[in-house]
Amino acid sequence: MRNVYLPRSIDELWRILDAEPEAAVYAGGTDLLVKLRAAASGPRCLVCIERIDELRGVADRGDSLRIGSTTTHSQLLEHALIREHLPVLALALAVLGSPPIRHMGTIGGNIVTASPAGDTLPALYVLGAELEVLSRASSRRLPLHRFITGPGAVDLRNGEILGAVWVRKQPEWTIHHHE
């Protein structure tokens, strides 16, 4: 039996992680649940961050879009700003998994899992995505190609979470294709 925490704010999240530094942080959990079923053991507790408002949604920030890490694939696929400014990402999202996976899985989870089969990763690479990594004391931004260091490996330190994905809006004349 594992404890599952459901913080509703970033401050609450940091308090939980201070008390439970070995906790596994997740949002949709589509990959984590598969791993937990297959493993004989795992983390003592889980922290689900999908209820933290600051980590959800798509915001227009002038020349860029800020995508909260816990925004689901379905929410992104339906979002007008994504379809208008990042059509290659919308195309990748449209073929990602099945409808239940798109409703549950998050953009942050797809990135942090760093799977070679991560459907959003090729689109985010070509779009030059930057990631906003948060900790209690600071935040840092780094390009996706520096964050993912290998299959299943990311530059996410103890006490850090992926807060958001930043992507520059694409010029109207840009041609997008995804296969």
Side-chain angles (χ1 to χ4, degrees), residues 96-116:
L96 186 149
S98 62
I101 295 296
R102 287 192 295 272
H103 288 305
M104 201 169 150
T106 64
I107 188 96
N110 204 243
I111 294 168
V112 171
T113 301
S115 168

Side-chain angles (χ1 to χ4, degrees), residues 8-147:
R8 293 195 173 272
S9 71
I10 292 285
D11 287 337
E12 188 178 353
L13 169 66
W14 301 137
R15 285 193 299 274
I16 292 167
L17 292 179
D18 285 345
E20 299 282 359
E22 301 303 315
V25 176
Y26 76 100
T30 56
D31 292 321
L32 177 65
L33 296 175
V34 171
K35 287 178 185 175
L36 290 177
R37 277 191 209 127
S41 65
R44 218 174 58 137
C45 69
L46 305 173
V47 181
C48 179
I49 60 174
E50 65 191 24
R51 296 178 181 187
I52 300 174
D53 286 338
E54 300 98 316
L55 302 178
R56 285 192 299 219
V58 178
D60 189 332
R61 298 289 196 243
D63 66 345
S64 297
L65 297 180
R66 181 191 182 275
I67 304 168
S69 64
T70 65
T71 309
T72 68
H73 304 303
S74 291
Q75 290 166 335
L76 292 172
L77 189 55
E78 295 166 2
H79 205 288
L81 288 172
I82 298 297
R83 289 193 320 272
E84 179 182 353
H85 297 291
L86 309 176
V88 72
L89 180 57
L91 291 167
L93 290 162
V95 296
L96 186 149
S98 62
I101 295 296
R102 287 192 295 272
H103 288 305
M104 201 169 150
T106 64
I107 188 96
N110 204 243
I111 294 168
V112 171
T113 301
S115 168
D119 293 296
T120 64
L121 299 180
L124 292 171
Y125 273 111
V126 300
L127 291 168
E130 289 189 345
L131 307 178
E132 180 182 303
V133 177
L134 307 173
S135 71
R136 177 188 276 285
S138 65
S139 68
R140 60 189 174 109
R141 251 169 96 165
L142 66 161
L144 177 64
H145 72 270
R146 281 199 19 238
F147 181 77

